[in-house]
Amino acid sequence: TVELNPALLPLDWLLGSWESDEPGEGCFTSIKPFRYIETLNFSHVGQPVINFTFNAFHAETKKPLHRECGFIRMQPGALRVAFIIAQNSGLVEIEEGELTAQRLNLQSQALARVSFAREPHVQKISRVIQLRPDGRLEQTVSMATDNQPMMQHLHIIYRRSS
Ligand code: HEM
């Protein structure tokens, strides 16, 4: 096993694998509310970078749905964190924000998508990822699209799976 780069110590609580404890809840004004399950993995290879994958599945059929993968970097000497993300929907994004204790508060700084991405297009994303006092991990994602103002899309709680 490779030693964790000291630059990542403030994020060591994220490392490892997580799976939804109970199905996550999806919503948005324009869609039917839904439930989903999701597994997360955060790993490193000794660089000052965390590698991650988020894989979501239909809560009943277990059919693969949304997927994201990317990298997490921290500004040297600061608690500013950047997520560099690619999504299977054809979206790529940079999210940045501050780490306070074991809570990340991120906002999209840049979004781009494939020319034939489905509409409506996302215009802004914000997410909070935090370690709860009970040791579970919680993620809340809000977004604004062409048609709708900023509003919650996802809420989910994970337990450690390794
Ligand atoms: C719908 C974006 C993550 C499941 C949508 C829509 C957008 C969107 C723009 C269409 C909304 C509308 O029609 O007004 C995103 C973004 C995500 C994300 C930016 C991550 C940051 C997820 C995840 C799941 C999911 C993790 C889990 C399964 C769905 C479903 C719908 C939907 C089921 C409704 C049906 C559909 O349009 O496919 N999402 N989504 N999304 N999303 Fe997400």
Side-chain angles (χ1 to χ4, degrees), residues 6-35:
L8 293 179
L9 278 171
L11 288 174
D12 64 353
W13 50 276
L14 265 183
L15 291 167
S17 298
W18 302 85
E19 67 179 75
S20 40
D21 201 17
E22 27 193 284
E25 290 161 0
C27 56
F28 207 60
T29 26
S30 41
I31 65 176
K32 209 167 75 144
F34 63 93
R35 286 158 76 79

Side-chain angles (χ1 to χ4, degrees), residues 50 107 116 128:
I50 291 177
Q107 266 85 40
F116 48 90
V128 175

Side-chain angles (χ1 to χ4, degrees), residues 31-44:
I31 65 176
K32 209 167 75 144
F34 63 93
R35 286 158 76 79
Y36 66 105
I37 57 180
E38 190 171 44
T39 59
L40 312 183
N41 179 265
F42 298 92
S43 65
H44 72 95

